[in-house]
Amino acid sequence: MLDTREPVTARPAARAPGRAGWRRKQQLLAWAFLLPLVAYLVLCYGYPLVTNVDLSLRNYTVRTFVHGGAPLVWFDNYAGVFTDPTFRTALLNTLVFTAASLLFQYGIGLAMAVFFARHFRLGPTLRALFLVPWLLPLIVSGSTWAWLLNSESGVVNSVLGWFGAGRIDWLTSPSWSLVSVIIANIWIGVPFNLVVLHSGLQNIPAEVYEAASLDGAGAWQRFRHVTFPLLRGVSAITLLLGLVYTLKVFDVIWIMTKGGPGGSSTTLATWSYQLGFGSMLPRFGPSAAVGNVLILLAVVAGLLYIRAQRRQEEA
Amino acid sequence: MKRHPLIRLLSVAVAATTLAACSSGGAPTAAGGTFTVWDPYPQFDATSAWAKVVDKCGADAGVKITRQAFDTTDLTNKVLLAAQQNTAPNVLVVDNPVVSTLAEGGVLKSNADTGLDAAQVAPNLLAAADVKGQVYGVPIGANTLALYYNKAVLTAAGVDPASVKDWASLDAALAKVHTAGKKGITFSAIGTEEGSFQFLPWFWGSGANLTDLGSADAVAALAQWKSWLDKGYAPNSVIGNTQTTSWQEFATGEYAFAENGTWQLQKAKTAGFDYGVLAIPARTGGAAPAPTGGEFVTVPAQSSPDAEKTAGKIASCLTSPANVGDSDTALTYVSAVPSVQEKQVAAQPELKVWVDAVKVAKGRTGDNLGTRYPRISEPLWGAVQAALTGAKAPDAALAAAQATAASAK
């Protein structure tokens, strides 16, 4: 930023107007630099967001969607969504899906980051290989998991069969479908956690570990009292980003189970899509309402994060 | 620099708004003698017979044609958005159950306005595009469902395919196949329109009607499917099967029967085993009415009546018996015109069972259901899934579905 703390006494009186003009010019320039960003935010985020809110407050039919004039029904769509029995299932599934995915993605990611922090031969190569799930298109990962978990001919069931386990209907049983999509989503999310946490580990000075070792700390104590606390900031941002990504996960679930069977793996994201685009007669109003509930959830999560961070800064 | 919490909050919020993504826009218009044709045939590139017919029909009408192919599930939403932005195509080839939705939405022009003539088309096929006495478009052809069977598996189990005439004899055949150590039947009961499409031949074949999902006949049809899963005649994977994955199961050669469509005929020939095709039996014998599949060539509303008339000419050309034959062959569709159907059978006797099936087939949006059909189909596939997974008994599942369908007006 500009440093304007110039001693007033040093400024000759005659130069004052020119100085003010220069300052105004600087301010205009600053706004000009801001303009593209503001325009971008309004066009690509503000407008869709407002449209989505508008969609959710109107009763759209195909005719009114095309020709306009959909009547304003205020919160009817929301009331309809909240009283729908699917809402409970979708909300609960979203929470379970998000919590389980985050917990395991973070846990496994951290364990692997600590593992790869010790330098050993082929370490970087192996680490690069672990990134593959992140680089694959979701349609490939989703289809592959669906194929692996197929109850008749899937690899997972035949491997389990060698150990004498019975057949599990991973994708076609209401009690397993959510577990299956969570497993696939964890697999997809681990590399992101690994990369971010690994780079966080690089920033912890080696001296701290040396000092801890001199004080007689073992491996677990070094992790518990050095690595984990010093990684707190990176962990928080990893988990928050993970939370926002996971709340809106759609592709993997849609490809593997379509939210089924019988809605057993439906989350708010897949339900919103199902309402808007899943049948031949789109229901844009309720679909937008579910989408907005999802956004609100993300905002609440964001608020919690900001509050936690502020408390940490104050402490 | 410390960012303001509000800005941070906003950036969190926008990260979650990909559901309301920016649309790509920029659909072509009819300006300057260039007409656009949208179809759901991405498998046909510019060198295909279909693309050439499209170009020729444009040339005959004196305009240049830009053709765009979409995935069929994408097309409805693309068209609705385009219609909202006044950038709908001049000619639209669209799946038949969508026609009544688009017509009621005022997206399509009726044949009376565009000069399209559907007089030669079989009435049971045209019913899907009949909205309050006005017809919107002409079918390019039709497909439907039947039972493919694996001859080797049936012979090994001692089943004569000709003996399968009703549900009881089909059950008996499945029991024999099961005893012989092979798999019985595969179909698609996925929780989408495909699931309803596959269930309808049994639903209608049992005597049930879409206006009453909870009827005893409907329950009998669902109980029949459920019993196949319980007895091990059908694999559990049918609950998640699309028609494509169901076909892949049949193609392993382990299954005796597969419920699938006309469009698999080409693949059947390369499956590496001898196959045959049976009409899906009704509960008490005879062929069950299967739902019609296949697209309609339609004309969306345009800026001027002249453009609509020209588009009508192109649509007439695309569906004229002289041109549509090649398209139907490429798509392995049965023609929508009875006289052409006879020619198809004369040229390819194996098509007879399919032509017969198309003759008794029913449009899903027929019976004046129109835009009510999607509101019935969704609870129906939900009930099928609930029953097959064991979450609900067939009668309870269908009663709940009927309540949902009745409340959604």
Side-chain angles (χ1 to χ4, degrees):
Chain A
M1 292 303 280
L2 290 169
D3 191 357
T4 51
R5 291 169 302 165
E6 208 173 308
V8 183
T9 49
R11 194 190 294 160
R15 272 184 59 196
R19 181 89 196 166
W22 178 81
R23 214 197 248 164
R24 196 176 306 133
K25 220 182 264 175
Q26 286 290 305
Q27 217 155 27
L28 278 176
L29 199 65
W31 278 109
F33 276 120
L34 259 178
L35 197 65
L37 177 71
V38 172
Y40 171 73
L41 282 178
V42 168
L43 262 177
C44 278
Y45 294 109
Y47 176 71
L49 202 60
V50 171
T51 313
N52 213 39
V53 172
D54 181 64
L55 269 175
S56 71
L57 299 179
R58 288 176 190 278
N59 180 19
Y60 275 95
T61 62
V62 171
R63 179 170 280 277
T64 50
F65 180 75
V66 172
H67 299 284
L72 200 61
V73 293
W74 294 108
F75 294 99
D76 276 14
N77 286 329
Y78 290 90
V81 160
F82 290 143
T83 51
D84 193 311
T86 313
F87 180 75
R88 262 183 70 109
T89 321
L91 183 67
L92 204 68
N93 283 351
T94 307
L95 296 179
V96 171
F97 180 84
T98 309
S101 294
L102 280 186
L103 186 71
F104 285 99
Q105 284 174 356
Y106 178 78
I108 299 171
L110 182 62
M112 293 210 310
V114 170
F115 175 69
F116 282 113
R118 312 185 331 193
H119 299 277
F120 55 93
R121 268 212 263 182
L122 287 180
T125 318
L126 270 175
R127 193 154 49 86
L129 282 178
F130 269 106
L131 296 189
V132 168
W134 201 16
L135 303 176
L136 282 179
L138 284 173
I139 179 114
V140 175
S141 330
S143 311
T144 310
W145 273 104
W147 174 72
L148 289 172
L149 294 173
N150 186 297
S151 42
E152 299 296 313
S153 53
V155 177
V156 174
N157 270 352
S158 38
V159 170
L160 289 178
W162 297 341
F163 298 101
R167 197 188 73 184
I168 296 177
D169 296 325
W170 293 99
L171 300 172
T172 50
S173 140
S175 37
W176 281 102
S177 59
L178 189 64
V179 176
S180 303
V181 292
I182 289 173
I183 292 174
N185 192 54
I186 291 169
W187 180 81
I188 291 165
V190 162
F192 171 74
N193 285 259
L194 167 62
V195 168
V196 179
L197 294 171
H198 186 262
S199 72
L201 284 180
Q202 308 291 308
N203 287 333
I204 300 177
E207 297 87 58
V208 189
Y209 286 109
E210 279 165 22
S213 297
L214 286 177
D215 287 343
W220 170 246
Q221 280 175 315
R222 280 203 301 272
F223 174 78
R224 174 74 187 75
H225 297 291
V226 178
T227 312
F228 200 65
L230 287 177
L231 216 53
R232 191 176 288 160
V234 178
S235 298
I237 195 74
T238 314
L239 285 172
L240 180 79
L241 284 176
L243 177 67
V244 175
Y245 291 153
T246 314
L247 273 178
K248 70 179 175 68
V249 162
F250 160 75
D251 326 52
V252 180
I253 303 176
W254 193 255
I255 293 162
M256 288 175 68
T257 66
K258 298 265 190 301
S264 56
S265 57
T266 294
T267 62
L268 289 174
T270 62
W271 193 33
S272 174
Y273 181 87
Q274 169 73 43
L275 287 169
F277 308 104
S279 86
M280 286 180 295
L281 200 59
R283 266 172 285 176
F284 294 116
S287 170
V290 176
N292 287 335
V293 170
L294 196 55
I295 292 171
L296 271 180
L297 274 181
V299 170
V300 168
L303 277 174
L304 287 177
Y305 166 74
I306 291 168
R307 220 172 116 192
Q309 206 192 30
R310 194 182 294 156
R311 198 175 298 159
Q312 207 177 342
E313 277 167 8
E314 279 163 5
Chain B
M1 200 179 89
K2 201 172 170 305
R3 280 209 290 167
H4 193 276
L6 183 69
I7 295 177
R8 218 181 266 161
L9 178 63
L10 270 178
S11 56
V12 170
V14 293
T17 50
T18 45
L19 288 166
C22 297
S23 80
S24 55
T29 57
T34 301
F35 273 50
T36 48
V37 174
W38 285 6
D39 65 51
Y41 309 133
Q43 70 271 34
F44 295 144
D45 63 13
T47 60
S48 63
W50 164 249
K52 283 180 184 147
V53 169
V54 170
D55 282 339
K56 189 176 93 65
C57 287
D60 289 353
V63 292
K64 198 177 145 19
I65 295 216
T66 320
R67 171 183 168 249
Q68 260 186 298
F70 295 91
D71 188 68
T72 187
T73 49
D74 253 7
L75 191 57
T76 316
N77 294 310
K78 285 266 173 12
V79 169
L80 283 177
L81 277 174
Q84 193 196 36
Q85 311 294 324
N86 285 323
T87 54
N90 300 92
V91 176
L92 171 69
V93 185
V94 68
D95 198 12
N96 74 80
V98 181
V99 173
S100 58
T101 301
L102 294 178
E104 283 197 20
V107 177
L108 300 180
K109 284 305 219 179
S110 75
N111 290 358
D113 291 331
T114 58
L116 261 173
D117 181 13
Q120 286 190 295
V121 175
N124 68 324
L125 297 177
L126 206 57
D130 190 327
V131 180
K132 294 173 190 134
Q134 291 284 328
V135 178
Y136 296 80
V138 177
I140 194 157
N143 61 57
T144 193
L145 295 166
L147 288 180
Y148 286 84
Y149 58 87
N150 183 324
K151 285 185 182 166
V153 172
L154 286 190
T155 311
V159 175
D160 176 11
S163 72
V164 176
K165 293 188 182 313
D166 52 23
W167 288 7
S169 51
L170 179 59
D171 266 358
L174 288 172
K176 278 188 190 165
V177 171
H178 190 63
T179 318
K182 290 288 187 180
K183 292 170 181 172
I185 183 166
T186 170
F187 48 90
S188 158
I190 193 173
T192 65
E193 179 58 29
E194 262 181 278
S196 288
F197 184 70
Q198 288 247 323
F199 182 59
L200 279 174
W202 311 95
F203 181 86
W204 281 331
S206 174
N209 195 302
L210 280 172
T211 50
D212 185 8
L213 297 181
S215 70
D217 291 332
V219 173
L222 188 49
Q224 164 90 347
W225 265 22
K226 172 72 175 148
S227 75
W228 289 346
L229 265 76
D230 290 345
K231 292 178 192 158
Y233 297 170
N236 187 273
S237 53
V238 295
I239 296 165
N241 267 351
T242 62
Q243 298 185 94
T244 308
T245 49
S246 163
W247 181 262
Q248 286 161 354
E249 289 182 343
F250 181 65
T252 60
E254 292 291 305
Y255 288 81
F257 296 97
E259 179 186 357
N260 225 305
T262 328
W263 58 91
Q264 301 289 13
L265 269 174
Q266 295 301 330
K267 280 193 202 145
K269 285 174 186 149
T270 58
F273 52 79
D274 242 1
Y275 73 95
V277 183
L278 275 177
I280 296 172
R283 180 155 54 149
T284 52
T292 53
E295 291 77 25
F296 272 66
V297 181
T298 61
V299 176
Q302 288 159 43
S303 50
S304 75
D306 282 349
E308 283 163 4
K309 284 271 187 312
T310 312
K313 268 185 209 154
I314 299 171
S316 296
C317 170
L318 287 174
T319 51
S320 71
N323 290 326
V324 83
D326 285 348
S327 311
D328 284 342
T329 308
L331 291 161
T332 55
Y333 280 7
V334 170
S335 166
V337 179
S339 61
V340 183
Q341 288 174 353
E342 278 161 35
K343 280 185 203 148
Q344 282 184 307
V345 175
Q348 271 183 294
E350 55 170 18
L351 281 181
K352 184 170 183 337
V353 58
W354 291 105
V355 170
D356 288 346
V358 164
K359 277 180 184 156
V360 295
K362 278 171 78 163
R364 280 163 279 173
T365 52
D367 294 338
N368 271 323
L369 289 178
T371 50
R372 280 179 60 209
Y373 172 72
R375 291 280 178 273
I376 296 169
S377 171
E378 202 174 331
L380 178 61
W381 80 54
V384 169
Q385 291 234 306
L388 294 192
T389 56
K392 284 182 191 162
D395 51 352
L398 284 165
Q402 175 57 27
T404 311
S407 69
K409 249 319 238 173

